Amino acid sequence: MLRPFRWDRAARRLDLLDQRRLPREEGWIECPDPEAVRDAIASMVVRGAPAIGVAAAYGVVTAFARPRPGEDPEACFGRADRTLRPARPTAVNLAAALDRMRLRFDSLGDLGLEDCSRELEDEADRIADEDLEANRRLGSLGADLLPPGDEPVRVLTHCNAGTLATSGYGTALGIVRAVAESGRSVEVFAPETRPWLQGARLTAWELVSDDLPVTLLTEGAVGSLLAARRLDAVVVGADRIAANGDAANKIGTYNSAVLAKRHRVPFLVAAPFSTVDLATPTGADIPIEERDAAEITEFAGVPVAPDGVRVWNPAFDITPAALIAAIVTERGVARPPFGPALARLGAA
Ligand code: MRU
C-alpha cells in the first residue's frame, strides 16, 4: 500500500511523497533534518492530520541522527520540538506526536545521542504503525454504520482523508475501503476542495488507483447532489475534535454538514483517537490556520484575481457537534451527547 512517507533506516532520513505534484508525478523529497520536515509540512508536501503527526515524529529522530556541534540529547529534542511544533497549528496530531516523543525521550534517562536516536526511531515507527491499525479498525466500525442491503453504498466526502493523509488505508476513505472489502459496491462523491484541490488531485487519484468508483464535483454542486441523489452518508476526516464534539476539518466541511442536515443525510466524522483533543473544550478554542492569499488569487501559478484584492483564506472550518451524527474512532463510535461519549472513549 502506498504510504505518503518512507523512513530510510540506514540513512536515518525521512522521504516524503510530494503531494503538491500529484497526480501528475510521484516525486519524493528527502528530509534529513527537522528544518526540512518543517518546511515540507508547512508547504504541504505532506498533509493530512495523521500524516503530519508521523512526519513530525520522524523529524525528531533526524535531529538526533545529525546533531549540531555541541548539542546534547536535550538540546537536540528542544530544537526539533521548537522547529516542528508551529509548522501547522490546527491538526492536533502534530502536537500529540511531539508530546508522545517527549514522553519516550524523558523515559530514556541518561542515554547518549546514538541510543536515544534508536529508541526514538522505534517510537516513531510505533506511532506510524498504530495509525495504520487505528484506520483499519475505525474503517470497519464505520462500515457497520452504513445501511445494509444490496444497493451500492453512496457517500459524499470532503478534502482527502485517505491513504495519502495517514499511515495508510485512511479514515473517511478507510470506511469506504472497509465497505468495498466486505464485498459491497460503494461510490464516492468527491468535491474538488478549493483552493488546494485535495479532492480533485488526491482523493480522486487515490480512489481511481484503487479501482473504487469516484465522481468528482465542484463544491458548489454539493447542495444539488444532496437534493438530487440518494446518499447514505457524508463521511469526512478531522484535524482536531474538541471535547464537546465540535470538529475542525478542511474549509467547506461545515457547508456540507449544514446541507446534510437539510437533506437528512447522516454526517459522520472519522478520525483516530489521536485527533481528539480533550484539553480543547469547544471548536471556538481550536486555532484555525490561515494560508497565503496566492492560493486563491492564483490558479496553477496564473493570477486570476485583481492585484490588491483583500483575501480571507482559512484552511479549516468548525462543524458544530449538533450537526454530527457520529464520531468514528478506533476506540469505538461516539454518539451525541459527545462530551461524555468522548470522555468515556478517552478513559478506555
Ligand atoms: O490542509 P490539509 O490537506 O492538511 O487538510 C486535511 C484535512 O482537512 C483532512 O480532512 C484531515 O486532516 C483528516 S486526514 C485523515
Side-chain angles (χ1 to χ4, degrees):
M1 181 194 300
L2 180 70
R3 275 182 153 186
F5 54 84
R6 282 193 303 235
W7 174 250
D8 185 326
R9 267 190 112 77
R12 275 188 283 172
R13 188 193 66 218
L14 182 65
D15 294 346
L16 293 168
L17 177 62
D18 190 348
Q19 300 194 28
R20 299 168 307 180
R21 285 146 66 189
L22 290 173
R24 284 170 288 113
E25 54 187 27
E26 284 177 45
W28 291 78
I29 295 227
E30 295 181 356
C31 300
D33 51 40
E35 292 73 21
V37 177
R38 176 213 42 218
D39 292 348
I41 292 172
S43 64
M44 313 232 319
V45 168
V46 62
R47 32 66 51 200
I52 64 178
V54 171
Y58 284 118
V60 171
V61 185
T62 60
F64 285 80
R66 271 165 288 278
R68 289 189 178 160
E71 270 185 343
D72 63 5
E74 182 58 48
C76 273
F77 198 98
R79 174 167 59 92
D81 193 286
R82 277 192 311 279
T83 305
L84 292 160
R85 199 171 282 268
R88 290 193 79 189
T90 302
V92 74
N93 306 61
L94 194 162
L98 291 173
D99 291 345
R100 182 163 157 184
M101 294 297 277
R102 178 84 223 185
L103 271 182
R104 182 71 189 121
F105 175 63
D106 287 347
S107 75
L108 296 177
D110 292 333
L111 288 190
L113 278 167
E114 183 59 28
D115 289 333
C116 281
S117 172
R118 293 290 171 208
E119 294 296 333
L120 291 173
E121 180 177 49
D122 290 346
E123 189 69 2
D125 285 346
R126 277 191 287 274
I127 292 173
D129 293 346
E130 285 170 24
D131 181 58
L132 178 57
E133 273 319 298
N135 293 340
R136 287 191 192 283
R137 169 98 190 113
L138 74 86
S140 126
L141 292 174
D144 289 344
L145 299 181
L146 294 165
D150 296 331
E151 289 286 298
V153 173
R154 297 164 123 192
V155 301
L156 171 71
T157 190
H158 192 70
C159 190
N160 171 263
T163 291
L164 291 167
T166 62
S167 290
Y169 205 69
T171 57
L173 298 189
I175 294 179
V176 167
R177 287 197 168 83
V179 171
E181 284 166 12
S182 75
R184 292 189 67 185
S185 56
V186 58
E187 183 174 6
V188 177
F189 292 86
E192 59 179 353
T193 313
R194 289 282 301 147
W196 213 75
L197 303 181
Q198 287 94 333
R201 297 190 308 100
L202 308 180
T203 294
W205 180 74
E206 172 171 338
L207 293 176
V208 166
S209 306
D210 282 354
D211 267 334
L212 289 165
V214 56
T215 301
L216 183 63
L217 59 152
T218 63
E219 276 144 294
V222 164
S224 297
L225 175 78
L226 283 158
R229 309 282 281 269
R230 176 192 60 77
L231 288 189
D232 295 301
V234 180
V235 187
V236 300
D239 287 81
R240 191 186 300 226
I241 299 169
N244 72 342
D246 292 348
N249 193 49
K250 178 53 53 191
I251 190 77
T253 304
Y254 172 50
N255 306 28
S256 290
V258 172
L259 286 162
K261 187 71 149 189
R262 167 78 176 80
H263 294 282
R264 296 194 181 81
V265 174
F267 187 90
L268 309 179
V269 174
F273 205 79
S274 56
T275 302
V276 177
D277 181 6
L278 295 176
T280 293
T282 72
D285 305 301
I286 298 177
I288 299 293
E289 176 186 9
E290 291 193 21
R291 293 190 62 85
D292 204 285
E295 287 184 353
I296 301 184
T297 57
E298 296 175 5
F299 192 81
V302 178
V304 291
D307 288 345
V309 68
R310 275 200 301 270
V311 168
W312 183 48
N313 185 19
F316 301 97
D317 60 24
I318 305 291
T319 297
L323 298 177
I324 301 172
I327 298 174
V328 186
T329 79
E330 76 281 16
R331 296 191 184 189
V333 176
R335 299 239 185 224
F338 289 114
L342 291 173
R344 259 194 313 278
L345 293 179

